[in-house]
Amino acid sequence: MDKPYLKQDVQDLLLRLVLQPKASRDAFVGLLGDELKVAITAPPIDGQANKHLIKFLSKQFKVPKSAVIVEKGQLNRHKLVRIKNPQKIPNDI
């Protein structure tokens, strides 16, 4: 994989993301430096953005929400997210 934001770790995927909260829709936007930009509709208040991001990624990769883990960046727009054993890789990434 030659994508700087995507790394394979055994059966897991590690994604380096930059989050854009309070967007008009949930979507993979594109590259921003070495990170993948993700827009979500939830505001960055009381962990709502992280919860919404986990829900969005679980649908995109066809995994349960428990298989999506924010490893770094709980209180930051820049995040490192682990996706355990993804069943599907979205075309957008």
Side-chain angles (χ1 to χ4, degrees):
M1 293 181 195
D2 58 343
K3 299 176 180 176
Y5 57 86
L6 186 63
K7 181 180 172 188
Q8 184 107 24
D9 183 28
V10 189
Q11 291 184 339
D12 298 350
L13 282 180
L14 292 171
L15 292 171
R16 291 179 39 192
L17 305 175
V18 60
L19 198 60
Q20 177 190 341
K22 291 177 67 176
S24 61
R25 61 187 173 91
D26 298 333
F28 295 111
V29 177
L31 276 180
L32 186 64
D34 286 345
E35 298 173 308
L36 179 63
K37 187 173 182 181
V38 179
I40 59 166
T41 56
I45 300 170
D46 296 330
Q48 291 179 40
N50 284 340
K51 288 178 189 172
H52 195 83
L53 174 66
I54 289 169
K55 183 178 176 183
F56 172 70
L57 292 175
S58 72
K59 286 182 182 178
Q60 295 297 312
F61 287 92
K62 305 286 187 221
V63 296
K65 288 187 272 186
S66 61
V68 180
I69 301 162
V70 179
E71 291 194 342
K72 291 183 183 175
Q74 290 286 344
L75 302 175
N76 195 322
R77 290 171 44 114
H78 302 274
K79 302 186 182 298
L80 179 64
V81 178
R82 177 178 298 272
I83 304 190
K84 294 183 176 183
N85 198 17
Q87 301 302 305
K88 175 187 172 199
I89 305 293
N91 293 334
D92 298 342
I93 68 162

